[in-house]
Amino acid sequence: MEPRVIRYEFNGKQYQCPIELAVSLFSGKWKTTIICKLMEGKKRYGELKKLIVGINHKMLAEQLRELEDAGIISREVYPVVPPKVEYALTELGEQLKPAIQLLQQWGRQFQIPVSVDSESPVSAQSSADR
């Protein structure tokens, strides 16, 4: 008897492991940051652009589109002039909150002080060195 192989599938793609599936959905430099900002509530495109230091227009639009395609965020367009678009976590995206919060908690051990003026680290020393 052959061993039973378990596969996971999402949007037509198959994965060998549930973690592989999950990480593939929000992998990318900016996706977790976008999700974290949307955990605080709905945001307009311009708000996200201002909140995420270092992201350019092309990358934000691309990452939002990929998260929307994955069903993690929703995009609501209001019929007004100028156009108003809001992004929010979907029910599927909301299910990520506990995992994201655990990752945030774990990552905080590496926090370093940052100067408000320059947004550069005051000290490059990690918490492990202190």
Side-chain angles (χ1 to χ4, degrees):
M1 186 167 134
E2 289 185 35
R4 187 168 157 230
V5 176
I6 297 174
R7 297 271 188 225
Y8 301 87
E9 187 173 317
F10 186 83
N11 283 350
K13 292 182 184 176
Q14 288 195 353
Y15 303 89
Q16 298 179 57
C17 164
I19 294 173
E20 178 188 15
L21 183 157
V23 169
S24 75
L25 290 180
F26 59 89
S27 65
K29 182 174 181 179
W30 302 106
K31 287 181 185 170
T32 52
T33 303
I34 293 167
I35 292 168
C36 287
K37 299 302 180 190
L38 293 176
M39 283 173 51
E40 300 166 2
K42 288 183 179 182
K43 300 278 186 280
R44 293 180 67 174
Y45 181 91
E47 289 178 276
L48 286 169
K49 180 85 171 68
K50 287 177 188 172
L51 289 170
I52 303 171
V53 176
I55 195 167
N56 63 39
H57 166 73
K58 180 182 181 275
M59 189 54 65
L60 179 58
E62 184 179 298
Q63 299 285 279
L64 287 167
R65 195 173 308 113
E66 288 177 15
L67 287 168
E68 185 181 8
D69 290 346
I72 294 171
I73 65 169
S74 64
R75 178 179 185 262
E76 187 171 352
V77 181
Y78 295 91
V80 295
V81 177
K84 177 181 175 182
V85 179
E86 284 186 334
Y87 295 91
L89 292 177
T90 61
E91 187 176 323
L92 185 64
E94 290 284 338
Q95 292 173 14
L96 282 172
K97 278 185 173 182
I100 296 290
Q101 288 166 337
L102 284 172
L103 288 170
Q104 286 174 322
Q105 182 181 352
W106 182 83
R108 283 190 183 103
Q109 69 182 310
F110 304 102
Q111 186 174 8
I112 56 173
V114 175
S115 168
V116 177
D117 297 333
S118 67
E119 294 191 25
S120 62
V122 174
S123 167
Q125 196 176 36
S126 75
S127 63
D129 295 337
R130 290 183 213 143

